Amino acid sequence: MAILVLLVATGCTGSGPPEGKATSGAPTPGARSGGDPNRPTPTPNPVVVENSRPGTTAWKRSRTGPSQLIEGYADKIAVRPGDSFRLFVSTTAPGFSATAFRVGWYGGTGGREVWTSPRIRGIRQVKPVVERPLNTVVARWKPSATVSTKGWPEGNYLIKLRSEAGYENYVPITVRSTSTSGKVVLVNGVTTWQAYNLWGGYDLYEGPTGYSDRSRAVSFDRPYDDAGMSRFLSGERPAIVLAERLGVPLAYITDIELATDPGLLAGARALITLGHDEYWTSSMRTNTIEAREAGTNLAFLGANAIFRHARLASTALGPNRLVICYKSFEEDPIRKTNPSEATQDWRFPPDPRPESVLTGLMYDCFPANAAFVVTNPTNWLFAGTGVRKGTKFPNLVGVESDRLDLRKPTPRPIEILSDSPVLCGTDRRTWANSAYYTVGSGAGVFNTGTLRWVQALGHSKRFNPRTWRFVEQVTANLLRGFAQGPAGRRHPARDNADDYTHGR
């Protein structure tokens, strides 16, 4: 099949900044700083400029249907601005179109159309292949189109595929930042998206008969099912939209770049893992620790972060497109030559490196459902929320949760911000915490301790509007504060961990 090379249509500029924005020191586009008329005009914040352009709600899917009616994937997880990527699409319709929407605030619409294709001939691609013995699903498809990102701003994109029968589906792609210096870095946890992607009948949790025949390695050479895409749509997108609304200087990467580019975080103000960020490689940990020790703030907006040890490998389409995680030391053949790289939970021997070294807390419970109970209302992150000690936000803790465990390596000083009684499953009583700690470099680190934080930013009906407003205000305080540089220099953690051991 011939490859159709598609040309980019550049977006038009709009009029004025987005409603309700706060610039955190970023100037309004075109404005002088006042005083000396010979003083040069400050460089406009590109996030503010971009979000002043006309937005649209057309990025939303209106008709989905069975996924096989139209579905696809890209041969790149992230590209530099101006680079191209190929789309691999299967559809039952004779033709389809593809439209690229950049995710952002855009006056509350949530996206901006930056490009659309002409009609592309549709084909029904071959069935997926399950590669043994690791049960890796691969869609060995022919390319449908090559797309140039010339003129596309850095950021997160949804490529909406629309068949001539009217059915729609997504292909996500990140136009990654070339520099993170002076910026708040938003990280797409794509390794975790792929871990939960059951497209083709296998993911890292189950196969056709359950856990025993699960994949031991999952490939990006296949579409996402709804479980995989939801990790972005509900678990990350709302935080990205809020960050763009605030107008803080932003950079955009995936965790693949975090793993493979050791100098990427040089000068970064903060690194924000957006939602469910469970699968980490050794280099991801090393690069993040080094950034923290150089003064880069960290935030974990979801629980269960850095829980599974993973490795990356190549596929037929390129490097770092295979996520390996046996979840078992005894199964992983690398244990014989390099046991510290065996892909089991990070906290397990023979080389235990629990997640608390970075997150401050330990993953503790699934399934959880509890109220978020404030215990430290004077912390700077709660400014403007009106909370008091004991203020509760129903259902905000779940479906997985973290807690303080001083039996594990824990950075000190650490300030516990919430303490929530949790019934884990049906019979185990435990608790969940959120926390803020600081280190000698001045970096501050925040952990929400719950997977539902970003869902609340997305105004999920699970929560009441009071909870939405609370989570938005805390997250805004976090992003604005972290954008100013090492937060611990202005807001040192006041250690209170010994008050929250629950007798342990």
Side-chain angles (χ1 to χ4, degrees):
M1 177 181 177
I3 300 174
L4 176 64
V5 178
L6 304 175
L7 300 178
V8 158
T10 58
C12 59
T13 57
S15 57
E19 176 186 346
K21 75 161 180 68
T23 65
S24 294
T28 301
R32 290 191 178 272
S33 58
D36 186 355
N38 296 317
R39 188 174 179 180
T41 302
T43 302
N45 182 341
V47 174
V48 175
V49 174
E50 173 61 27
N51 278 274
S52 70
R53 293 171 172 163
T56 177
T57 59
W59 62 270
K60 298 179 181 179
R61 289 182 295 187
S62 58
R63 190 180 181 193
T64 53
S67 62
Q68 64 266 25
L69 297 178
I70 187 163
E71 55 192 346
Y73 66 92
D75 69 343
K76 300 289 177 62
I77 301 162
V79 295
R80 294 180 182 272
D83 286 352
S84 297
F85 62 91
R86 292 185 295 171
L87 282 175
F88 297 72
V89 179
S90 178
T91 179
T92 57
F96 71 95
S97 63
T99 305
F101 295 93
R102 185 182 181 278
V103 174
W105 167 240
Y106 300 108
T109 60
R112 180 174 76 86
E113 180 180 328
V114 300
W115 167 85
T116 191
S117 75
R119 180 184 186 271
I120 305 172
R121 184 169 70 89
I123 62 170
R124 184 70 180 267
Q125 303 265 17
V126 298
K127 293 182 179 180
V129 174
V130 181
E131 296 180 341
R132 311 296 184 188
L134 302 185
N135 297 340
T136 302
V137 178
V138 177
R140 295 175 180 168
W141 291 354
K142 298 177 180 178
S144 303
T146 296
V147 183
S148 169
T149 64
K150 184 178 179 181
W152 296 19
E154 297 174 354
N156 294 116
Y157 287 81
L158 291 169
I159 312 300
K160 189 167 78 169
L161 308 174
R162 190 175 194 275
S163 78
E164 288 180 342
Y167 294 101
E168 298 175 337
N169 221 326
Y170 289 133
V171 176
I173 194 160
T174 301
V175 177
R176 57 161 294 193
S177 297
T178 55
S179 171
T180 67
S181 181
K183 298 175 183 178
V184 173
V185 184
L186 305 180
V187 185
N188 298 131
V190 296
T191 55
T192 302
W193 302 1
Q194 201 57 251
Y196 286 87
N197 181 19
L198 197 55
W199 191 90
Y202 294 81
D203 66 8
L204 290 180
Y205 293 85
E206 62 179 301
T209 65
Y211 184 77
S212 62
D213 65 346
R214 69 193 183 279
S215 292
R216 272 61 172 179
V218 286
S219 173
F220 285 93
D221 300 354
R222 59 175 179 156
Y224 285 104
D225 69 351
D226 286 343
M229 273 307 304
S230 69
R231 293 302 185 281
F232 175 74
L233 292 174
S234 61
E236 297 189 6
R237 189 194 66 83
I240 295 165
V241 171
L242 176 62
E244 297 227 335
R245 180 180 182 178
L246 295 173
V248 296
L250 297 175
Y252 312 83
I253 65 171
T254 76
D255 54 11
I256 301 300
E257 291 81 63
L258 182 60
T260 58
D261 188 347
L264 181 62
L265 299 180
R269 296 289 177 84
L271 182 74
I272 313 294
T273 80
L274 296 167
H276 197 171
D277 198 7
E278 182 177 350
Y279 288 79
W280 279 52
T281 69
S282 292
S283 56
M284 287 168 63
R285 283 183 64 122
T286 297
N287 295 340
T288 302
I289 290 173
E290 289 179 355
R292 182 192 64 181
E293 299 310 297
T296 298
N297 302 304
L298 309 177
F300 300 91
L301 298 188
N304 190 220
I306 323 180
F307 185 64
R308 307 284 192 185
H309 189 172
R311 295 195 306 276
L312 299 175
S314 299
T315 72
L317 290 181
N320 305 311
R321 292 184 61 85
L322 190 70
V323 181
I324 301 169
C325 186
Y326 286 83
K327 299 185 181 178
S328 166
F329 181 82
E330 293 303 322
E331 278 192 46
D332 193 340
I334 205 173
R335 74 186 189 282
K336 297 177 181 179
T337 56
N338 191 358
S340 65
E341 283 297 300
T343 55
Q344 57 178 348
D345 297 352
W346 278 104
R347 58 178 69 178
F348 286 168
D351 185 15
R353 288 165 283 177
E355 60 271 23
S356 57
V357 171
L358 263 169
T359 68
L361 303 173
M362 293 288 288
Y363 168 58
D364 179 57
C365 177
F366 170 83
N369 182 56
F372 184 97
V373 183
V374 175
T375 60
N376 193 5
T378 61
N379 183 273
W380 67 278
L381 289 164
F382 293 151
T385 63
V387 296
R388 299 180 178 181
K389 187 173 184 178
T391 297
K392 297 181 180 180
F393 296 95
N395 303 317
L396 185 53
V397 174
V399 61
E400 294 182 314
S401 61
D402 295 350
R403 69 169 172 85
L404 177 71
D405 187 346
L406 293 181
R407 297 171 300 180
K408 305 296 184 181
T410 304
R412 307 290 287 265
I414 187 168
E415 197 167 344
I416 301 304
L417 308 180
S418 66
D419 191 48
S420 305
V422 172
L423 180 63
C424 191
T426 59
D427 57 0
R428 183 168 72 90
R429 296 195 178 277
T430 183
W431 68 96
N433 301 112
S434 60
Y436 170 74
Y437 74 83
T438 51
V439 296
S441 67
V445 181
F446 173 61
N447 183 356
T448 69
T450 172
L451 278 188
R452 291 181 177 160
W453 191 269
V454 178
Q455 293 178 26
L457 289 176
H459 293 183
S460 166
K461 293 181 180 178
R462 181 188 298 274
F463 316 106
N464 58 40
R466 173 173 164 268
T467 301
W468 300 345
R469 291 190 293 270
F470 167 73
V471 174
E472 286 175 356
Q473 183 64 57
V474 174
T475 309
N477 292 342
L478 172 82
L479 293 173
R480 288 171 175 151
F482 276 14
Q484 296 176 37
R489 296 177 185 171
R490 300 178 306 280
H491 306 291
R494 295 174 173 83
D495 196 292
N496 61 359
D498 292 335
D499 296 333
Y500 296 97
T501 61
H502 293 260
R504 298 185 182 183

